[in-house]
Amino acid sequence: MTFNLLDRIGNWNPQLFREIKGRLKIGNIAIASALSLCGQLLLFLFVRAQMPVAPPAGEYTYSIYSRFCTEFHGYNDFKCVRDALGNFAINWQYLLLNLFVFLSIFSAIVLLVAGTYMLVSDLDKEERRGTLNYIRLSPQSANTIFIGKIFGVPILLYLAAILAVPLHLYSGLAAKVPLQGILCFYIAIVASCALFYSAAMLFGLTTSWLGGFQPWLASAAVLFFITVAFNMPLRHNPAVELITFLSPAAVLKLSVILVIDTISGTSLGYALDWLTGFFYEVQWFSLPVGTKLALTTALNFSICATGTYWLWKGWQRRFPNPNATVLSKGQSYLLVICCQIIILGFAFQDEASFNDSISGLLIFNLLMFIALIAALTPDRQSLYDWARYRQQIVPRGQKLWRRYPLLDLIWSEKSPAVVAIAINLFISVIIFIPWMLFQGTEKEIFCRVILCVNLILIYASIAQLFLLTKKRNLEIWAAGTIGSSILLPHLILYMLSIDPATAPILWLSSTFPILWLSSTFASFWFSLSFTASGNTILFAILSQWTVLVLLNLKLRSQLKIAGQSASKALLKA
């Protein structure tokens, strides 16, 4: 029976059969099962240790208070009273709710962080051993490899998670969590795993230049992401709300809110406020996704499915050809439309502050466009091929492309990415304009947007220039330079004690409204753009345009040199 099942799996997906055969061994299964059961036992003992213990009757001379007791004595204050047997009366529903919450969070962290590490580490080992090239040469499609890796590499994690389901179900149902809430949480877990595992596969495939540091960096980023999703309070910040809905935290928060309302002593909700925050206020295009479980689950699944789809597209392009860009320019335009509509939905809230909303939008867009620059910027050899042979090798509509060379910059995969990034920025601005007009903002907001757009275009030009040079480790140089361009202006101005009020031109023209992802600084930057005079803002915009023109003139001259034939360059020398 087992062999027949393995034969069917091998016929359907040889890569999955290879991963299962290498990992599902008796020793590995025993270790994974023991770790899962021991982890559940330790978590149960940890929650049980928080229960108050009644001292002997003769020694009971003072009052004991605990949130697990039953007699309410004011704000988040419960006095422990004895029952008929002399023990403290315990609020078992609330105790089991805590067990359910901790087990949910622990399971999500283990699945997402450990699964990401395993996938990236597996790809890194395949790359270093050279077996990844053999897989590329096999008749298997990129989709088959993708599915086989995602289902096969973390298969021991799946086994450990399945062993935790009975305790999770028992604690949830005993705490009166609705069964549909638990099932929705499982759906959110599956959707989040698909998203994060797809991102891990693409990250491992495109960052081989990081060496053995890849899995640690990826897992640390996912751990930070999950920590923000479960702990960051939601106060109408679109970036934080989107992070919450990219993880199973959204469904868990609402499930806990629904249970707390049924527990005696309404102040118990404050004890889990670190988790629930103000989730009940969250809206998406004014839909009450923070109060309706079906809407929360549907939005979580839709966002994760959209992200997984685009990551899958990137894998399909990059796996067969390691030198190709992650996305084509046409795909990037559709991707930006999808992302901007999703993030804009969290900005349409009834009581949202405009400064908080625009700060979250800009934080998200900065991170998205940095990723987009990395996904669209071709490598040095592709740029050289495009500069030298673009007149001989053109796609369909040959006459049209030769008549309008700008089309080559818009659609060609090997052309510089600056024009495509500019078009994507224009798409983002067009999508945001109706929301800005709906908010009734002043004209200065458009100056802010222009300043941010200019800086992103400058970052894209710098990255393209670095990838055209002949230095080694070009990706590291490009990433380090863009990171320095974002952070160093803030730090230098602070170290030199240059006050924004006395030198607003330096702050407006060289700094993005983000410092350590701080919306407080973004609001400060916006207030600076309001208080600065019109001439100062205009001069800041002109200075950015000057830098942008100079960078692209340098890029054009480099491409012109690259387009010369070898014999022409030799004769000229």
Side-chain angles (χ1 to χ4, degrees), residues 485-544:
S485 302
I486 296 172
L487 299 177
L488 280 183
H490 298 276
L491 301 179
I492 292 173
L493 292 173
Y494 270 126
M495 291 174 63
L496 296 178
S497 299
I498 298 177
D499 187 30
T502 58
I505 182 65
L506 295 177
W507 285 87
L508 290 174
S509 60
S510 63
T511 61
F512 200 89
I514 170 178
L515 183 62
W516 311 119
L517 302 182
S518 170
S519 60
T520 303
F521 182 83
S523 301
F524 163 75
W525 190 90
F526 291 149
S527 64
L528 173 63
S529 64
F530 273 120
T531 56
S533 63
N535 292 332
T536 302
I537 296 177
L538 179 62
F539 188 74
I541 294 175
L542 291 177
S543 63
Q544 289 179 337

Side-chain angles (χ1 to χ4, degrees), residues 49-296:
Q50 301 180 42
M51 292 174 52
V53 180
E59 300 179 7
Y60 186 67
T61 58
Y62 55 91
S63 299
I64 296 178
Y65 296 88
S66 172
R67 69 180 187 275
F68 294 119
C69 291
T70 56
E71 187 172 331
F72 182 57
H73 269 249
Y75 170 77
N76 203 23
D77 192 8
F78 291 82
K79 182 179 179 181
C80 298
V81 295
R82 293 176 182 269
D83 57 14
L85 299 176
N87 299 317
F88 285 152
I90 302 299
N91 190 339
W92 290 103
Q93 182 184 359
Y94 186 66
L95 182 72
L96 291 170
L97 179 62
N98 277 264
L99 177 61
F100 172 79
V101 168
F102 290 139
L103 186 57
S104 300
I105 296 175
F106 182 74
S107 301
I109 291 175
V110 170
L111 279 172
L112 297 179
V113 177
T116 298
Y117 180 88
M118 293 173 68
L119 285 166
V120 178
S121 178
D122 179 77
L123 283 177
D124 179 55
K125 290 178 181 177
E126 297 264 23
E127 185 73 34
R128 285 189 282 106
R129 294 173 180 172
T131 55
L132 195 60
N133 290 328
Y134 287 105
I135 296 176
R136 286 192 177 100
L137 295 175
S138 67
Q140 302 179 70
S141 65
N143 292 341
T144 302
I145 304 297
F146 185 85
I147 294 173
K149 288 287 185 183
I150 284 184
F151 281 97
V153 173
I155 191 167
L156 294 174
L157 278 180
Y158 300 151
L159 174 62
I162 291 173
L163 292 176
V165 168
L167 179 61
H168 188 263
L169 272 174
Y170 168 76
S171 60
L173 294 176
K176 298 183 180 179
V177 178
L179 179 60
Q180 60 268 28
I182 301 175
L183 297 179
C184 288
F185 178 76
Y186 293 155
I187 294 174
I189 281 280
V190 172
S192 299
C193 284
L195 175 67
F196 281 88
Y197 290 175
S198 302
M201 293 285 288
L202 188 59
F203 179 81
L205 192 66
T206 56
T207 58
S208 57
W209 44 274
L210 285 173
F213 188 60
Q214 281 176 284
W216 297 104
L217 180 61
S219 56
V222 173
L223 180 60
F224 172 78
F225 186 93
I226 295 300
T227 303
V228 170
F230 280 108
N231 293 279
M232 186 70 72
L234 303 174
R235 290 300 291 174
H236 308 300
N237 189 317
V240 178
E241 292 170 355
L242 178 61
I243 289 175
T244 304
F245 275 87
L246 286 172
S247 68
V251 177
L252 180 62
K253 288 174 186 285
L254 183 54
S255 300
V256 172
I257 290 174
L258 296 177
V259 175
I260 286 176
D261 294 338
T262 65
I263 299 178
S264 59
T266 56
S267 68
L268 279 174
Y270 293 101
L272 288 173
D273 188 60
W274 60 271
L275 173 67
T276 58
F278 298 89
F279 186 78
Y280 55 87
E281 298 180 0
V282 176
Q283 296 178 339
W284 191 74
F285 285 113
S286 299
L287 293 175
V289 294
T291 57
K292 303 294 183 182
L293 186 61
L295 291 177
T296 301

Side-chain angles (χ1 to χ4, degrees), residues 407-437:
L407 293 177
D408 199 22
L409 296 173
I410 296 174
W411 299 105
S412 177
E413 297 181 9
K414 294 186 176 182
S415 63
V418 179
V419 174
I421 296 296
I423 293 174
N424 283 312
L425 286 167
F426 178 74
I427 292 172
S428 301
V429 172
I430 291 297
I431 292 176
F432 285 153
I433 282 178
W435 173 71
M436 296 176 186
L437 297 177

Side-chain angles (χ1 to χ4, degrees), residues 379-393 414 562:
D379 60 4
R380 179 174 175 270
Q381 188 58 49
S382 299
L383 285 172
Y384 268 69
D385 293 342
W386 175 82
R388 183 170 296 180
Y389 304 112
R390 59 176 173 170
Q391 296 297 330
Q392 288 79 20
I393 304 174
K414 294 186 176 182

